[in-house]
PDB file of all heavy atoms in Angstrom:
ATOM      1  N   ASN A 241     -26.489   7.372 -22.894  1.00  0.00           N
ATOM      2  CA  ASN A 241     -27.899   7.460 -23.496  1.00  0.00           C
ATOM      3  C   ASN A 241     -28.117   8.772 -24.110  1.00  0.00           C
ATOM      4  O   ASN A 241     -28.818   8.894 -25.154  1.00  0.00           O
ATOM      5  CB  ASN A 241     -28.919   7.174 -22.403  1.00  0.00           C
ATOM      6  CG  ASN A 241     -28.964   5.691 -22.030  1.00  0.00           C
ATOM      7  OD1 ASN A 241     -28.577   4.872 -22.928  1.00  0.00           O
ATOM      8  ND2 ASN A 241     -29.449   5.366 -20.863  1.00  0.00           N
ATOM      9  N   LEU A 242     -27.550   9.912 -23.634  1.00  0.00           N
ATOM     10  CA  LEU A 242     -27.758  11.223 -24.171  1.00  0.00           C
ATOM     11  C   LEU A 242     -26.961  11.510 -25.436  1.00  0.00           C
ATOM     12  O   LEU A 242     -27.360  12.186 -26.349  1.00  0.00           O
ATOM     13  CB  LEU A 242     -27.517  12.252 -23.116  1.00  0.00           C
ATOM     14  CG  LEU A 242     -28.688  12.750 -22.336  1.00  0.00           C
ATOM     15  CD1 LEU A 242     -28.267  13.767 -21.286  1.00  0.00           C
ATOM     16  CD2 LEU A 242     -29.789  13.323 -23.236  1.00  0.00           C
ATOM     17  N   LEU A 243     -25.626  11.003 -25.391  1.00  0.00           N
ATOM     18  CA  LEU A 243     -24.658  11.347 -26.442  1.00  0.00           C
ATOM     19  C   LEU A 243     -24.366  10.209 -27.394  1.00  0.00           C
ATOM     20  O   LEU A 243     -23.723  10.419 -28.362  1.00  0.00           O
ATOM     21  CB  LEU A 243     -23.293  11.826 -25.815  1.00  0.00           C
ATOM     22  CG  LEU A 243     -23.396  13.035 -24.808  1.00  0.00           C
ATOM     23  CD1 LEU A 243     -22.031  13.216 -24.124  1.00  0.00           C
ATOM     24  CD2 LEU A 243     -23.756  14.325 -25.601  1.00  0.00           C
ATOM     25  N   GLY A 244     -24.832   9.027 -27.093  1.00  0.00           N
ATOM     26  CA  GLY A 244     -24.447   7.850 -27.831  1.00  0.00           C
ATOM     27  C   GLY A 244     -23.071   7.444 -27.272  1.00  0.00           C
ATOM     28  O   GLY A 244     -22.368   8.203 -26.649  1.00  0.00           O
ATOM     29  N   LEU A 245     -22.693   6.195 -27.503  1.00  0.00           N
ATOM     30  CA  LEU A 245     -21.415   5.662 -27.037  1.00  0.00           C
ATOM     31  C   LEU A 245     -20.240   6.457 -27.556  1.00  0.00           C
ATOM     32  O   LEU A 245     -19.357   6.911 -26.799  1.00  0.00           O
ATOM     33  CB  LEU A 245     -21.273   4.157 -27.357  1.00  0.00           C
ATOM     34  CG  LEU A 245     -19.953   3.502 -26.817  1.00  0.00           C
ATOM     35  CD1 LEU A 245     -19.837   3.676 -25.271  1.00  0.00           C
ATOM     36  CD2 LEU A 245     -19.892   2.020 -27.235  1.00  0.00           C
ATOM     37  N   ASP A 246     -20.237   6.685 -28.931  1.00  0.00           N
ATOM     38  CA  ASP A 246     -19.159   7.409 -29.526  1.00  0.00           C
ATOM     39  C   ASP A 246     -19.055   8.870 -28.968  1.00  0.00           C
ATOM     40  O   ASP A 246     -18.021   9.372 -28.656  1.00  0.00           O
ATOM     41  CB  ASP A 246     -19.200   7.456 -31.027  1.00  0.00           C
ATOM     42  CG  ASP A 246     -18.891   6.110 -31.676  1.00  0.00           C
ATOM     43  OD1 ASP A 246     -18.333   5.289 -30.954  1.00  0.00           O
ATOM     44  OD2 ASP A 246     -19.258   5.930 -32.872  1.00  0.00           O
ATOM     45  N   GLY A 247     -20.242   9.495 -28.842  1.00  0.00           N
ATOM     46  CA  GLY A 247     -20.281  10.770 -28.309  1.00  0.00           C
ATOM     47  C   GLY A 247     -19.687  10.869 -26.895  1.00  0.00           C
ATOM     48  O   GLY A 247     -19.017  11.847 -26.529  1.00  0.00           O
ATOM     49  N   ALA A 248     -20.078   9.911 -26.073  1.00  0.00           N
ATOM     50  CA  ALA A 248     -19.621   9.921 -24.653  1.00  0.00           C
ATOM     51  C   ALA A 248     -18.120   9.702 -24.631  1.00  0.00           C
ATOM     52  O   ALA A 248     -17.408  10.369 -23.846  1.00  0.00           O
ATOM     53  CB  ALA A 248     -20.347   8.824 -23.891  1.00  0.00           C
ATOM     54  N   ILE A 249     -17.617   8.733 -25.470  1.00  0.00           N
ATOM     55  CA  ILE A 249     -16.166   8.548 -25.528  1.00  0.00           C
ATOM     56  C   ILE A 249     -15.426   9.834 -26.032  1.00  0.00           C
ATOM     57  O   ILE A 249     -14.396  10.132 -25.466  1.00  0.00           O
ATOM     58  CB  ILE A 249     -15.782   7.367 -26.441  1.00  0.00           C
ATOM     59  CG1 ILE A 249     -16.281   6.018 -25.838  1.00  0.00           C
ATOM     60  CG2 ILE A 249     -14.302   7.242 -26.749  1.00  0.00           C
ATOM     61  CD1 ILE A 249     -16.151   4.799 -26.612  1.00  0.00           C
ATOM     62  N   ASN A 250     -16.019  10.498 -26.970  1.00  0.00           N
ATOM     63  CA  ASN A 250     -15.392  11.796 -27.371  1.00  0.00           C
ATOM     64  C   ASN A 250     -15.341  12.775 -26.237  1.00  0.00           C
ATOM     65  O   ASN A 250     -14.348  13.460 -25.999  1.00  0.00           O
ATOM     66  CB  ASN A 250     -16.093  12.366 -28.617  1.00  0.00           C
ATOM     67  CG  ASN A 250     -15.843  11.691 -29.895  1.00  0.00           C
ATOM     68  OD1 ASN A 250     -14.806  11.045 -30.004  1.00  0.00           O
ATOM     69  ND2 ASN A 250     -16.731  11.848 -30.871  1.00  0.00           N
ATOM     70  N   ALA A 251     -16.480  12.889 -25.515  1.00  0.00           N
ATOM     71  CA  ALA A 251     -16.492  13.858 -24.415  1.00  0.00           C
ATOM     72  C   ALA A 251     -15.483  13.440 -23.323  1.00  0.00           C
ATOM     73  O   ALA A 251     -14.790  14.314 -22.769  1.00  0.00           O
ATOM     74  CB  ALA A 251     -17.942  13.857 -23.826  1.00  0.00           C
ATOM     75  N   ALA A 252     -15.406  12.162 -23.071  1.00  0.00           N
ATOM     76  CA  ALA A 252     -14.404  11.719 -22.060  1.00  0.00           C
ATOM     77  C   ALA A 252     -12.988  11.967 -22.540  1.00  0.00           C
ATOM     78  O   ALA A 252     -12.141  12.456 -21.735  1.00  0.00           O
ATOM     79  CB  ALA A 252     -14.570  10.230 -21.774  1.00  0.00           C
ATOM     80  N   ASN A 253     -12.717  11.715 -23.780  1.00  0.00           N
ATOM     81  CA  ASN A 253     -11.343  12.026 -24.322  1.00  0.00           C
ATOM     82  C   ASN A 253     -10.971  13.439 -24.163  1.00  0.00           C
ATOM     83  O   ASN A 253      -9.854  13.833 -23.811  1.00  0.00           O
ATOM     84  CB  ASN A 253     -11.276  11.632 -25.827  1.00  0.00           C
ATOM     85  CG  ASN A 253     -11.178  10.145 -26.026  1.00  0.00           C
ATOM     86  OD1 ASN A 253     -10.867   9.390 -25.115  1.00  0.00           O
ATOM     87  ND2 ASN A 253     -11.517   9.706 -27.281  1.00  0.00           N
ATOM     88  N   GLU A 254     -11.978  14.327 -24.479  1.00  0.00           N
ATOM     89  CA  GLU A 254     -11.718  15.769 -24.436  1.00  0.00           C
ATOM     90  C   GLU A 254     -11.463  16.184 -22.997  1.00  0.00           C
ATOM     91  O   GLU A 254     -10.527  16.969 -22.744  1.00  0.00           O
ATOM     92  CB  GLU A 254     -12.992  16.462 -24.953  1.00  0.00           C
ATOM     93  CG  GLU A 254     -12.763  17.579 -25.882  1.00  0.00           C
ATOM     94  CD  GLU A 254     -14.044  18.134 -26.460  1.00  0.00           C
ATOM     95  OE1 GLU A 254     -14.511  17.591 -27.507  1.00  0.00           O
ATOM     96  OE2 GLU A 254     -14.634  19.028 -25.795  1.00  0.00           O
ATOM     97  N   LEU A 255     -12.279  15.702 -22.068  1.00  0.00           N
ATOM     98  CA  LEU A 255     -12.088  16.060 -20.710  1.00  0.00           C
ATOM     99  C   LEU A 255     -10.816  15.445 -20.084  1.00  0.00           C
ATOM    100  O   LEU A 255     -10.156  16.154 -19.286  1.00  0.00           O
ATOM    101  CB  LEU A 255     -13.403  15.512 -19.863  1.00  0.00           C
ATOM    102  CG  LEU A 255     -13.795  16.348 -18.649  1.00  0.00           C
ATOM    103  CD1 LEU A 255     -13.771  17.777 -18.874  1.00  0.00           C
ATOM    104  CD2 LEU A 255     -15.180  15.822 -18.232  1.00  0.00           C
ATOM    105  N   ALA A 256     -10.461  14.289 -20.486  1.00  0.00           N
ATOM    106  CA  ALA A 256      -9.213  13.616 -20.059  1.00  0.00           C
ATOM    107  C   ALA A 256      -8.002  14.479 -20.440  1.00  0.00           C
ATOM    108  O   ALA A 256      -7.060  14.693 -19.752  1.00  0.00           O
ATOM    109  CB  ALA A 256      -9.073  12.193 -20.546  1.00  0.00           C
ATOM    110  N   LEU A 257      -8.088  14.939 -21.768  1.00  0.00           N
ATOM    111  CA  LEU A 257      -6.988  15.730 -22.248  1.00  0.00           C
ATOM    112  C   LEU A 257      -6.877  17.174 -21.460  1.00  0.00           C
ATOM    113  O   LEU A 257      -5.842  17.595 -21.049  1.00  0.00           O
ATOM    114  CB  LEU A 257      -7.222  16.054 -23.819  1.00  0.00           C
ATOM    115  CG  LEU A 257      -6.087  16.816 -24.452  1.00  0.00           C
ATOM    116  CD1 LEU A 257      -4.854  15.952 -24.483  1.00  0.00           C
ATOM    117  CD2 LEU A 257      -6.513  17.080 -25.901  1.00  0.00           C
ATOM    118  N   LYS A 258      -8.108  17.685 -21.185  1.00  0.00           N
ATOM    119  CA  LYS A 258      -8.101  18.916 -20.400  1.00  0.00           C
ATOM    120  C   LYS A 258      -7.488  18.701 -18.993  1.00  0.00           C
ATOM    121  O   LYS A 258      -6.743  19.479 -18.473  1.00  0.00           O
ATOM    122  CB  LYS A 258      -9.549  19.384 -20.259  1.00  0.00           C
ATOM    123  CG  LYS A 258      -9.684  20.748 -19.564  1.00  0.00           C
ATOM    124  CD  LYS A 258     -11.191  21.238 -19.497  1.00  0.00           C
ATOM    125  CE  LYS A 258     -11.299  22.548 -18.754  1.00  0.00           C
ATOM    126  NZ  LYS A 258     -12.630  22.778 -18.179  1.00  0.00           N
ATOM    127  N   CYS A 259      -7.863  17.541 -18.381  1.00  0.00           N
ATOM    128  CA  CYS A 259      -7.365  17.223 -17.052  1.00  0.00           C
ATOM    129  C   CYS A 259      -5.794  17.009 -17.128  1.00  0.00           C
ATOM    130  O   CYS A 259      -5.083  17.429 -16.229  1.00  0.00           O
ATOM    131  CB  CYS A 259      -8.001  15.949 -16.477  1.00  0.00           C
ATOM    132  SG  CYS A 259      -9.681  16.165 -15.993  1.00  0.00           S
ATOM    133  N   GLU A 260      -5.318  16.336 -18.112  1.00  0.00           N
ATOM    134  CA  GLU A 260      -3.867  16.150 -18.290  1.00  0.00           C
ATOM    135  C   GLU A 260      -3.212  17.526 -18.379  1.00  0.00           C
ATOM    136  O   GLU A 260      -2.141  17.728 -17.775  1.00  0.00           O
ATOM    137  CB  GLU A 260      -3.589  15.274 -19.438  1.00  0.00           C
ATOM    138  CG  GLU A 260      -3.829  13.795 -19.265  1.00  0.00           C
ATOM    139  CD  GLU A 260      -3.671  12.909 -20.476  1.00  0.00           C
ATOM    140  OE1 GLU A 260      -3.825  13.387 -21.630  1.00  0.00           O
ATOM    141  OE2 GLU A 260      -3.263  11.724 -20.232  1.00  0.00           O
ATOM    142  N   ASN A 261      -3.732  18.336 -19.240  1.00  0.00           N
ATOM    143  CA  ASN A 261      -3.161  19.697 -19.386  1.00  0.00           C
ATOM    144  C   ASN A 261      -3.205  20.484 -18.139  1.00  0.00           C
ATOM    145  O   ASN A 261      -2.218  21.199 -17.820  1.00  0.00           O
ATOM    146  CB  ASN A 261      -3.883  20.460 -20.487  1.00  0.00           C
ATOM    147  CG  ASN A 261      -3.481  19.921 -21.867  1.00  0.00           C
ATOM    148  OD1 ASN A 261      -2.375  19.349 -22.082  1.00  0.00           O
ATOM    149  ND2 ASN A 261      -4.393  20.119 -22.875  1.00  0.00           N
ATOM    150  N   SER A 262      -4.241  20.350 -17.318  1.00  0.00           N
ATOM    151  CA  SER A 262      -4.330  21.075 -16.024  1.00  0.00           C
ATOM    152  C   SER A 262      -3.223  20.572 -15.117  1.00  0.00           C
ATOM    153  O   SER A 262      -2.566  21.287 -14.405  1.00  0.00           O
ATOM    154  CB  SER A 262      -5.672  20.878 -15.414  1.00  0.00           C
ATOM    155  OG  SER A 262      -6.721  21.365 -16.197  1.00  0.00           O
ATOM    156  N   LEU A 263      -3.088  19.251 -15.170  1.00  0.00           N
ATOM    157  CA  LEU A 263      -2.076  18.655 -14.250  1.00  0.00           C
ATOM    158  C   LEU A 263      -0.698  19.120 -14.629  1.00  0.00           C
ATOM    159  O   LEU A 263       0.108  19.609 -13.716  1.00  0.00           O
ATOM    160  CB  LEU A 263      -2.091  17.117 -14.433  1.00  0.00           C
ATOM    161  CG  LEU A 263      -2.811  16.222 -13.421  1.00  0.00           C
ATOM    162  CD1 LEU A 263      -2.728  14.751 -13.761  1.00  0.00           C
ATOM    163  CD2 LEU A 263      -2.217  16.443 -12.024  1.00  0.00           C
ATOM    164  N   ILE A 264      -0.343  19.072 -15.962  1.00  0.00           N
ATOM    165  CA  ILE A 264       0.943  19.537 -16.449  1.00  0.00           C
ATOM    166  C   ILE A 264       1.229  21.004 -16.073  1.00  0.00           C
ATOM    167  O   ILE A 264       2.367  21.357 -15.837  1.00  0.00           O
ATOM    168  CB  ILE A 264       1.071  19.244 -17.930  1.00  0.00           C
ATOM    169  CG1 ILE A 264       1.094  17.712 -18.180  1.00  0.00           C
ATOM    170  CG2 ILE A 264       2.307  19.895 -18.488  1.00  0.00           C
ATOM    171  CD1 ILE A 264       0.869  17.381 -19.635  1.00  0.00           C
ATOM    172  N   SER A 265       0.174  21.796 -16.023  1.00  0.00           N
ATOM    173  CA  SER A 265       0.369  23.249 -15.804  1.00  0.00           C
ATOM    174  C   SER A 265       0.635  23.503 -14.239  1.00  0.00           C
ATOM    175  O   SER A 265       0.917  24.674 -13.903  1.00  0.00           O
ATOM    176  CB  SER A 265      -0.830  24.027 -16.273  1.00  0.00           C
ATOM    177  OG  SER A 265      -1.924  23.889 -15.348  1.00  0.00           O
ATOM    178  N   LEU A 266       0.462  22.523 -13.445  1.00  0.00           N
ATOM    179  CA  LEU A 266       0.782  22.745 -11.963  1.00  0.00           C
ATOM    180  C   LEU A 266       2.233  22.749 -11.732  1.00  0.00           C
ATOM    181  O   LEU A 266       3.044  22.156 -12.552  1.00  0.00           O
ATOM    182  CB  LEU A 266       0.062  21.634 -11.188  1.00  0.00           C
ATOM    183  CG  LEU A 266      -1.432  21.491 -11.225  1.00  0.00           C
ATOM    184  CD1 LEU A 266      -1.894  20.201 -10.518  1.00  0.00           C
ATOM    185  CD2 LEU A 266      -2.117  22.716 -10.610  1.00  0.00           C
ATOM    186  N   ASP A 267       2.657  23.312 -10.598  1.00  0.00           N
ATOM    187  CA  ASP A 267       4.152  23.227 -10.367  1.00  0.00           C
ATOM    188  C   ASP A 267       4.526  21.823 -10.011  1.00  0.00           C
ATOM    189  O   ASP A 267       3.714  20.986  -9.685  1.00  0.00           O
ATOM    190  CB  ASP A 267       4.589  24.249  -9.293  1.00  0.00           C
ATOM    191  CG  ASP A 267       4.108  23.914  -7.916  1.00  0.00           C
ATOM    192  OD1 ASP A 267       4.390  22.759  -7.405  1.00  0.00           O
ATOM    193  OD2 ASP A 267       3.508  24.730  -7.262  1.00  0.00           O
ATOM    194  N   LYS A 268       5.850  21.499 -10.156  1.00  0.00           N
ATOM    195  CA  LYS A 268       6.327  20.137 -10.234  1.00  0.00           C
ATOM    196  C   LYS A 268       5.897  19.235  -8.973  1.00  0.00           C
ATOM    197  O   LYS A 268       5.420  18.149  -9.212  1.00  0.00           O
ATOM    198  CB  LYS A 268       7.849  20.176 -10.333  1.00  0.00           C
ATOM    199  CG  LYS A 268       8.349  18.738 -10.637  1.00  0.00           C
ATOM    200  CD  LYS A 268       9.844  18.691 -10.793  1.00  0.00           C
ATOM    201  CE  LYS A 268      10.313  17.207 -10.946  1.00  0.00           C
ATOM    202  NZ  LYS A 268       9.761  16.259 -10.023  1.00  0.00           N
ATOM    203  N   ASP A 269       5.993  19.798  -7.814  1.00  0.00           N
ATOM    204  CA  ASP A 269       5.663  19.045  -6.661  1.00  0.00           C
ATOM    205  C   ASP A 269       4.150  18.617  -6.659  1.00  0.00           C
ATOM    206  O   ASP A 269       3.846  17.532  -6.337  1.00  0.00           O
ATOM    207  CB  ASP A 269       5.940  19.833  -5.355  1.00  0.00           C
ATOM    208  CG  ASP A 269       7.453  19.964  -5.200  1.00  0.00           C
ATOM    209  OD1 ASP A 269       8.182  19.171  -5.734  1.00  0.00           O
ATOM    210  OD2 ASP A 269       7.835  21.007  -4.564  1.00  0.00           O
ATOM    211  N   LEU A 270       3.276  19.629  -7.009  1.00  0.00           N
ATOM    212  CA  LEU A 270       1.878  19.309  -7.030  1.00  0.00           C
ATOM    213  C   LEU A 270       1.554  18.236  -8.146  1.00  0.00           C
ATOM    214  O   LEU A 270       0.827  17.341  -7.935  1.00  0.00           O
ATOM    215  CB  LEU A 270       1.084  20.572  -7.305  1.00  0.00           C
ATOM    216  CG  LEU A 270       0.327  21.184  -6.173  1.00  0.00           C
ATOM    217  CD1 LEU A 270      -0.420  22.470  -6.638  1.00  0.00           C
ATOM    218  CD2 LEU A 270      -0.735  20.231  -5.585  1.00  0.00           C
ATOM    219  N   TYR A 271       2.220  18.505  -9.354  1.00  0.00           N
ATOM    220  CA  TYR A 271       2.049  17.642 -10.466  1.00  0.00           C
ATOM    221  C   TYR A 271       2.436  16.210 -10.029  1.00  0.00           C
ATOM    222  O   TYR A 271       1.631  15.232 -10.171  1.00  0.00           O
ATOM    223  CB  TYR A 271       2.945  18.035 -11.677  1.00  0.00           C
ATOM    224  CG  TYR A 271       2.981  17.062 -12.753  1.00  0.00           C
ATOM    225  CD1 TYR A 271       1.884  16.951 -13.676  1.00  0.00           C
ATOM    226  CD2 TYR A 271       3.974  16.089 -12.857  1.00  0.00           C
ATOM    227  CE1 TYR A 271       1.897  15.954 -14.648  1.00  0.00           C
ATOM    228  CE2 TYR A 271       3.974  15.140 -13.764  1.00  0.00           C
ATOM    229  CZ  TYR A 271       2.970  15.082 -14.744  1.00  0.00           C
ATOM    230  OH  TYR A 271       2.936  14.097 -15.688  1.00  0.00           O
ATOM    231  N   ASP A 272       3.632  16.010  -9.466  1.00  0.00           N
ATOM    232  CA  ASP A 272       4.134  14.636  -9.027  1.00  0.00           C
ATOM    233  C   ASP A 272       3.103  14.001  -8.123  1.00  0.00           C
ATOM    234  O   ASP A 272       2.753  12.845  -8.216  1.00  0.00           O
ATOM    235  CB  ASP A 272       5.409  14.757  -8.382  1.00  0.00           C
ATOM    236  CG  ASP A 272       6.554  15.066  -9.414  1.00  0.00           C
ATOM    237  OD1 ASP A 272       6.283  14.879 -10.633  1.00  0.00           O
ATOM    238  OD2 ASP A 272       7.686  15.472  -8.956  1.00  0.00           O
ATOM    239  N   SER A 273       2.708  14.786  -7.122  1.00  0.00           N
ATOM    240  CA  SER A 273       1.909  14.274  -6.085  1.00  0.00           C
ATOM    241  C   SER A 273       0.514  13.802  -6.584  1.00  0.00           C
ATOM    242  O   SER A 273       0.005  12.709  -6.296  1.00  0.00           O
ATOM    243  CB  SER A 273       1.650  15.342  -4.998  1.00  0.00           C
ATOM    244  OG  SER A 273       1.323  14.833  -3.800  1.00  0.00           O
ATOM    245  N   LEU A 274      -0.128  14.646  -7.410  1.00  0.00           N
ATOM    246  CA  LEU A 274      -1.468  14.342  -7.946  1.00  0.00           C
ATOM    247  C   LEU A 274      -1.454  13.289  -9.058  1.00  0.00           C
ATOM    248  O   LEU A 274      -2.295  12.457  -9.157  1.00  0.00           O
ATOM    249  CB  LEU A 274      -2.211  15.587  -8.367  1.00  0.00           C
ATOM    250  CG  LEU A 274      -2.662  16.494  -7.178  1.00  0.00           C
ATOM    251  CD1 LEU A 274      -3.240  17.753  -7.690  1.00  0.00           C
ATOM    252  CD2 LEU A 274      -3.636  15.735  -6.310  1.00  0.00           C
TER     253      LEU A 274
END
Side-chain angles (χ1 to χ4, degrees):
Chain A
N241 286 337
L242 267 179
L243 302 171
L245 181 58
D246 285 347
I249 290 174
N250 284 341
N253 285 342
E254 226 172 273
L255 210 45
L257 189 61
K258 188 179 174 202
C259 288
E260 284 176 329
N261 286 334
S262 299
L263 259 179
I264 290 167
S265 76
L266 297 171
D267 72 51
K268 190 180 175 316
D269 293 334
L270 254 179
Y271 171 82
D272 286 344
S273 201
L274 287 176

